[in-house]
Amino acid sequence: MLVKEYMTKNLIVLKSTEDVKNAFNLLLENGIRQAPVVDKGELVGIVSDRDLRMALVQNLKMNNLTVGLIMTKDPVIITEDSKVTAAGKLISKGKFNAIPVIGESGELTGIISTTDILKCFLELIDDDYFPLITK
C-alpha cells in the first residue's frame, strides 16, 4: 500500500504572504487542519490550524501577520511511492498531523494525514476477524 493510493490529492495550498486570519478562515471553511505553503511553485513550508490559532491569540494586536512568519519551514516530506507504514512512522515519530507528498521530480503532489493513514489501516481489518463491539 503506497502513499499515492491514500494521500489527499486535491490540495488547498497557501502562500507565505497570506494573511494569518485569511489562512485560518480558509482552513475552517474547507474542514482541513493543515495546508502546504507554496511559493513560486515550490514547497516552502506547512502550517496547521493550531499554528494559525496560536499566532492569532498571541498576536491579537499585530497586523500584517503572514503565514510565512509562523509556518514550519522545510517540512518533513515523503514520496508518493513510499509505503503508508513509512508515512505512519514519520507522523508518529514527529508528532505531525500530516506530511506533504512529493512526486518523482520533486513536485508537490499531495498530503497524507493521520486520517488518510487510518483509512488505509481500516481497510486492512477484516470485520469477521475483528468484530465491532457494541454495548
Side-chain angles (χ1 to χ4, degrees), residues 51-121:
D51 298 331
L52 297 166
R53 187 172 37 257
M54 294 299 292
L56 288 170
V57 168
Q58 293 173 357
N59 300 289
L60 289 174
K61 295 180 181 177
M62 186 174 181
N63 292 325
N64 301 324
L65 185 60
T66 63
V67 168
L69 295 173
I70 64 159
M71 70 182 181
T72 300
K73 296 177 180 158
D74 301 316
V76 171
I77 57 173
I78 194 161
T79 62
E80 60 187 14
D81 289 324
S82 297
K83 291 183 178 182
V84 172
T85 52
K89 288 175 184 177
L90 282 173
I91 283 177
S92 179
K93 183 178 179 184
K95 298 181 181 173
F96 309 125
N97 288 320
I99 303 174
V101 180
I102 59 166
E104 203 172 285
S105 59
E107 76 284 5
L108 179 67
T109 58
I111 192 167
I112 189 155
S113 69
T114 53
T115 302
D116 298 327
I117 293 169
L118 181 58
K119 286 178 188 174
C120 172
F121 292 139

Side-chain angles (χ1 to χ4, degrees), residues 23-32 49:
F24 184 66
N25 287 330
L26 185 64
L27 267 60
L28 280 177
E29 290 168 5
N30 287 281
I32 57 175
D49 59 344

Side-chain angles (χ1 to χ4, degrees), residues 1-53:
M1 292 191 241
L2 302 178
V3 167
K4 65 183 168 188
E5 297 171 299
Y6 292 92
M7 69 183 187
T8 300
K9 297 174 185 171
N10 298 327
L11 294 177
I12 302 282
V13 297
L14 300 170
K15 292 183 181 180
S16 64
T17 56
E18 183 79 39
D19 178 78
V20 167
K21 290 176 192 171
N22 293 341
F24 184 66
N25 287 330
L26 185 64
L27 267 60
L28 280 177
E29 290 168 5
N30 287 281
I32 57 175
R33 296 182 313 195
Q34 56 278 317
V37 182
V38 176
D39 286 335
K40 298 178 184 172
E42 184 178 328
L43 177 68
V44 295
I46 191 167
V47 69
S48 71
D49 59 344
R50 183 176 189 271
D51 298 331
L52 297 166
R53 187 172 37 257

